[in-house]
Amino acid sequence: MIPYCFARPALFALEPETAHDLTIRAFATLGRLLPPPEPPRRAPITLMGLEFPNRVGLAAGLDKNGEAIDGLARLGFGFIEVGTVTPRPQPGNPKPRLFRLPQARALINRMGFNNDGVDALVARARARRWRGILGINLGKNADTPLERALDDYVAGLRRVWTTADYVTINVSSPNTRALRELQRGDSLEALLGGLREEAERLAASHDKRTPLVLKIAPDLEETELDLIAEKVLEYRIDGVIATNTTISREGVAHLPHGQETGGLSGEPLRERATAVLAALAQRLQGQVPLIAAGGILSGEDARAKLRAGASLVQIYTGLIYRGPALVEECLKATEEECCR
């Protein structure tokens, strides 16, 4: 692989989405040419009934369509999450929809769940050679009314159940209109209740248990976190990812592209995402495992997430700015933290 210090200037000279697509194609080619790797065993852990060889994963969003799983696995991840995928293919929001803020080591995206649809993703996931832990992240189609959202999540759950090692329910993207309302009040209860009911049916019919994970936003009030913790326990949700991107522009509003609409990720998200993680850990008291995402750009950032209550960490934007070396740095830090 080309050392990232040489590749990054060339990639950053391209429009961000073009660079992203080129990167996915490169990793897809790498995965076809080279044999699948074994995930490195570094501070392994068993959570949700799954054996994670290490605690560092790839967050959803980088490989929405499962095109490059085998290639991305060569970076050393203990688990990979693909998607967000919707029941039907959709183009997402109009371009441009992805923006770099290099002064802040951040991205703003308003992609809008652009993807090839769940059937295409499942076909690629089944064809993968890497046998590590694969999560599939589900969303709803943009044209599905909010009151019918459960139908979309159930349809996705049925299609991925036997392929995914775990399934993430994404109700926290700011780029699908009103989606975040599913984190609140009666909407959250109806969604989690319906999904738990369907999960029990699928587990019985396929003789396979697939853990359900909820991905939440960083822009939640204390009372909203109270409700999420309560309902996660009530409906036996297997894990929570804290957090998705933020709609806040604190610290970046003055930068070029800082006022673009969409979700902000990267370094400016770190403190808020960690605070939400810690608040949720306090409420759940170890009863549900937490996966940390948001603002991990160094090994020390990953270490801080574990100290705040996470058992696993996921990276994405950090890879854009730091490259593959970030994975090894986080592996080392999480291993050291867990062996203290």
Side-chain angles (χ1 to χ4, degrees):
M1 296 175 65
I2 299 172
Y4 194 64
C5 61
F6 298 118
R8 176 178 149 159
L11 290 171
F12 273 49
L14 300 173
E15 190 273 333
E17 192 166 348
T18 300
H20 174 271
D21 293 343
L22 181 63
T23 300
I24 290 296
R25 288 198 296 271
F27 275 106
T29 301
L30 186 71
R32 288 192 295 270
L33 294 177
L34 297 178
E38 283 293 324
R41 292 187 65 81
R42 309 273 291 272
I45 186 172
T46 299
L47 295 170
M48 307 185 294
L50 302 172
E51 294 184 12
F52 292 81
N54 65 63
R55 298 169 187 252
V56 180
L58 178 66
L62 186 67
D63 189 5
K64 291 179 182 295
N65 293 307
E67 298 170 280
I69 297 168
D70 289 334
L72 290 165
R74 301 199 67 82
L75 297 182
F77 294 112
F79 61 108
I80 289 175
E81 188 170 317
V82 294
T84 298
V85 67
T86 54
R88 291 172 282 110
Q90 62 180 30
N93 293 322
K95 299 179 181 180
R97 54 194 180 180
L98 180 62
F99 307 89
R100 299 187 196 97
L101 287 70
Q103 302 96 320
R105 296 202 295 178
L107 299 173
I108 291 176
N109 93 82
R110 52 171 179 264
M111 305 299 285
F113 294 168
N114 55 306
N115 73 101
D116 295 340
V118 69
D119 289 337
L121 183 143
V122 166
R124 295 182 184 119
R126 288 178 176 170
R128 77 189 190 278
R129 296 181 295 157
W130 176 73
R131 305 321 300 176
I133 292 176
L134 182 70
I136 298 181
N137 186 301
L138 299 180
K140 79 170 190 71
N141 280 109
D143 60 357
T144 299
L146 203 63
E147 59 271 17
R148 298 292 302 276
L150 177 60
D151 294 344
D152 272 16
Y153 287 103
V154 166
L157 193 64
R158 289 171 177 167
R159 289 293 296 120
V160 307
W161 186 264
T162 59
T163 303
D165 292 300
Y166 71 88
V167 176
T168 296
I169 307 303
N170 186 350
V171 292
S172 50
S173 170
N175 300 320
T176 296
R177 186 172 61 87
L179 184 78
R180 286 187 167 195
E181 293 304 312
L182 295 173
Q183 299 173 108
R184 300 180 171 96
D186 293 341
S187 296
L188 179 67
E189 180 152 17
L191 180 68
L192 296 187
L195 287 170
R196 174 47 62 197
E197 184 177 336
E198 182 62 26
E200 297 301 326
R201 283 197 293 265
L202 290 167
S205 62
H206 293 284
D207 194 26
K208 176 185 182 288
R209 182 180 180 278
T210 303
L212 295 182
V213 175
L214 182 69
K215 187 167 187 176
I216 66 170
D219 311 302
L220 295 166
E221 302 294 335
E222 294 293 323
T223 54
E224 293 170 328
L225 286 173
D226 290 339
L227 177 67
I228 286 171
E230 176 188 333
K231 297 307 174 185
V232 160
L233 292 172
E234 180 179 348
Y235 292 108
R236 306 186 311 283
I237 301 303
D238 299 280
V240 180
I241 299 176
T243 66
N244 211 318
T245 57
T246 180
I247 57 176
S248 169
R249 293 297 180 267
E250 184 177 356
V252 304
H254 64 289
L255 297 175
H257 302 303
Q259 297 284 7
E260 293 286 350
T261 58
L264 173 70
S265 62
E267 198 167 86
L269 175 59
R270 180 196 301 132
E271 290 187 11
R272 179 57 185 162
T274 304
V276 170
L277 170 71
L280 201 56
Q282 185 178 32
R283 287 164 169 80
L284 293 173
Q285 292 293 302
Q287 297 178 78
V288 177
L290 300 177
I291 304 170
I296 300 175
L297 283 97
S298 70
E300 187 54 41
D301 294 337
R303 192 193 308 270
K305 299 289 189 182
L306 296 189
R307 291 175 178 171
S311 297
L312 305 170
V313 301
Q314 290 181 319
I315 57 178
Y316 175 1
T317 300
L319 277 177
I320 308 302
Y321 286 97
R322 293 286 318 282
L326 177 61
V327 181
E328 174 58 29
E329 191 176 309
C330 290
L331 285 172
K332 182 178 180 181
T334 53
E335 184 179 28
E336 290 174 349
E337 181 66 23
C338 294
C339 295
R340 290 175 64 212

